[in-house]
Every structure is written in structure tokens, then in C-alpha cells.
């Protein structure tokens, strides 16, 4: 009977020890889960931040390319405008010369009469 009581007591003590160990390990498990969750959140935040930086860099590169294209077109338009102004000036000079020559011929014809 004493042996049975001791065995029962030993079993109860072992059960209590296991339960105590489980209670002690629960906070550790909770802390580990919390640490994993925090790490995952930090990783996600870092990925999101890297994504945002990549998108911003792509947008800036695209804007710079568009600006460069607009500057090239502006330069081409300015060159075309200068060429057109030169052609107009040359045409005006030819017209003035022709008018002057015609006037001189008319004056010479009047003087010859």
C-alpha cells in the first residue's frame, strides 16, 4: 500500500513537473512567435520600401527620358525656325533686289525717251 501510495505520489509529482515545465515553456513559445511575427513584419516593410524606391527610380528615369526627348524636339524646332527665318530673309533679299532692278530698268527706260 505504501509502495502504491508512493507510486501515485511520484506520478502526481511527475505530472506536476511536466505541467510546470509546459507553463514555463508557453511564454517562451509566445515570445518566439512574437519575434517571428515582428521579423516577418520588418521583412515585409523592407520589401515594400525597396519596391517603392524601385518604382520612384523608374518614374524618375522615365521622366528624365521624356524631358530629354522634349529638349531634343525643342532643339529641332528651334533649328527649323532658324532655317525658315533664313530662307525668308533670303527670299526677301531676292525680292528686294528684283524690285530694285526692275525700278532701275524702268528709270532707264524713262530716261532714254
Amino acid at each position: 500500500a505504501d509502495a502504491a501510495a508512493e507510486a501515485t505520489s511520484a506520478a502526481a509529482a511527475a505530472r506536476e513537473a511536466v505541467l510546470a515545465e509546459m507553463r514555463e515553456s508557453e511564454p517562451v513559445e509566445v515570445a518566439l512567435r512574437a519575434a517571428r511575427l515582428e521579423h516577418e513584419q520588418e521583412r515585409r516593410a523592407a520589401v515594400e520600401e525597396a519596391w517603392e524606391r524601385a518604382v520612384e527610380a523608374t518614374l524618375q528615369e522615365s521622366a528624365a527620358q521624356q524631358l530629354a526627348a522634349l529638349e531634343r524636339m525643342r532643339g529641332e524646332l528651334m533649328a527649323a525656325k532658324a532655317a525658315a527665318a533664313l530662307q525668308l530673309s533670303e527670299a526677301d533679299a531676292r525680292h528686294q533686289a528684283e524690285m530694285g532692278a526692275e525700278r532701275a530698268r524702268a528709270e532707264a527706260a524713262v530716261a532714254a525717251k
Side-chain angles (χ1 to χ4, degrees), residues 7 12 14 17-18 23 41 43 78 99:
V18 168
R23 281 192 294 273
Q41 289 172 339
R43 189 189 66 77
M78 295 300 284
M99 294 294 287

Side-chain angles (χ1 to χ4, degrees), residues 3 8-9 15 19 44 56 65 81 92:
T8 304
S9 178
R15 188 173 59 241
L19 289 174
R44 284 184 183 169
E56 183 66 27
Q65 289 172 351
K81 180 180 175 184
D92 187 47

Side-chain angles (χ1 to χ4, degrees), residues 12-26:
R15 188 173 59 241
E16 282 300 318
V18 168
L19 289 174
E21 186 177 324
M22 287 174 64
R23 281 192 294 273
E24 288 174 9
S25 69
E26 278 183 27

Side-chain angles (χ1 to χ4, degrees), residues 1-85:
D2 287 337
E6 284 180 27
T8 304
S9 178
R15 188 173 59 241
E16 282 300 318
V18 168
L19 289 174
E21 186 177 324
M22 287 174 64
R23 281 192 294 273
E24 288 174 9
S25 69
E26 278 183 27
V28 172
E29 290 295 321
V30 169
L32 285 173
R33 277 188 248 137
R36 281 189 216 112
L37 179 61
E38 183 178 345
H39 175 71
E40 182 64 22
Q41 289 172 339
E42 289 172 356
R43 189 189 66 77
R44 284 184 183 169
V47 168
E48 287 177 15
E49 185 178 327
W51 175 258
E52 288 173 5
R53 283 194 309 266
V55 167
E56 183 66 27
T58 301
L59 290 175
Q60 287 179 356
E61 181 181 340
S62 177
Q65 289 172 351
Q66 290 175 358
L67 182 60
L70 288 173
E71 288 294 332
R72 278 192 304 276
M73 288 191 311
R74 181 177 179 269
E76 291 168 0
L77 286 173
M78 295 300 284
K81 180 180 175 184

